[in-house]
């Protein structure tokens, strides 16, 4: 089963709050992926970075994104997204819009999601959630 990295895992790695490189090495037998919406989240962080941090952040994002398969948001993803969105909205357990898109991408591809936000992603029926640790 492939693993889709959530933005929080990558961001904690950048901030030094998590040893992302070590965890990635420990997952060497897994196919590691990223949802297209997560790429947008990461580039948004580059765009908002102040001058002293922008170049370093841009290199970090280029390195991470360049080393992962990027899964597009397709019509199938959109249908899965709508299904999850409706179910969570009905249950009163709504999660973030980008998390919905990541979850839909994972379900479409039969992948797990690596995230520190287990509480949100665990609301999605059928989604396997991995909380990374080294």
């Amino acid at each position: 089963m492939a693993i889709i990295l959530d933005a929080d895992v990558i961001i904690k790695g950048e901030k030094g709050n998590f040893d992302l490189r070590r965890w990635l090495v420990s997952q060497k037998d897994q196919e590691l992926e990223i949802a297209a919406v997560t790429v947008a989240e990461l580039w948004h962080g580059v765009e908002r970075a102040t001058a002293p941090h922008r170049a370093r952040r841009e290199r970090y994002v280029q390195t991470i994104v360049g080393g992962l398969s990027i899964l597009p948001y397709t019509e199938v993803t959109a249908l899965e997204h709508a299904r999850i969105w409706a179910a969570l909205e009905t249950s009163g357990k709504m999660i973030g819009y980008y998390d919905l898109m990541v979850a839909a991408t994972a379900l479409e591809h039969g992948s797990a999601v690596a995230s520190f936000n287990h509480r949100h992603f665990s609301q999605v029926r059928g989604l396997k959630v991995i909380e990374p640790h080294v």
Side-chain angles (χ1 to χ4, degrees), residues 98-113:
Y98 301 137
D99 290 347
L100 284 172
M101 295 169 77
V102 170
T105 302
L107 288 176
E108 174 186 357
H109 293 275
S111 301
V113 172

Side-chain angles (χ1 to χ4, degrees), residues 24-113:
L24 291 173
V25 169
S26 76
Q27 302 301 310
K28 67 179 183 259
D29 296 333
Q30 300 293 329
E31 184 177 344
L32 301 172
E33 305 168 325
I34 189 169
V37 69
T38 303
V39 175
E41 290 180 275
L42 296 173
W43 281 112
H44 176 258
V46 170
E47 293 298 322
R48 290 186 40 91
T50 59
H53 304 288
R54 185 180 172 111
R56 178 185 52 76
R57 182 168 287 168
E58 187 170 345
R59 281 190 306 275
Y60 179 78
V61 169
Q62 286 174 333
T63 300
I64 294 295
V65 171
L68 299 170
S69 297
I70 301 171
L71 300 175
Y73 188 93
T74 66
E75 183 178 357
V76 174
T77 317
L79 293 170
E80 192 66 42
H81 179 180
R83 184 191 65 75
I84 297 166
W85 185 358
L88 293 178
E89 199 170 49
T90 299
S91 72
K93 297 178 180 179
M94 193 60 179
I95 64 175
Y97 292 115
Y98 301 137
D99 290 347
L100 284 172
M101 295 169 77
V102 170
T105 302
L107 288 176
E108 174 186 357
H109 293 275
S111 301
V113 172

Side-chain angles (χ1 to χ4, degrees), residues 80 83-84 88 93 95 99-100 103-104 107 118-129:
E80 192 66 42
R83 184 191 65 75
I84 297 166
L88 293 178
K93 297 178 180 179
I95 64 175
D99 290 347
L100 284 172
L107 288 176
H118 188 271
R119 186 175 60 84
H120 271 205
F121 283 107
S122 66
Q123 301 298 323
V124 179
R125 177 169 287 164
L127 182 64
K128 180 174 179 175
V129 184

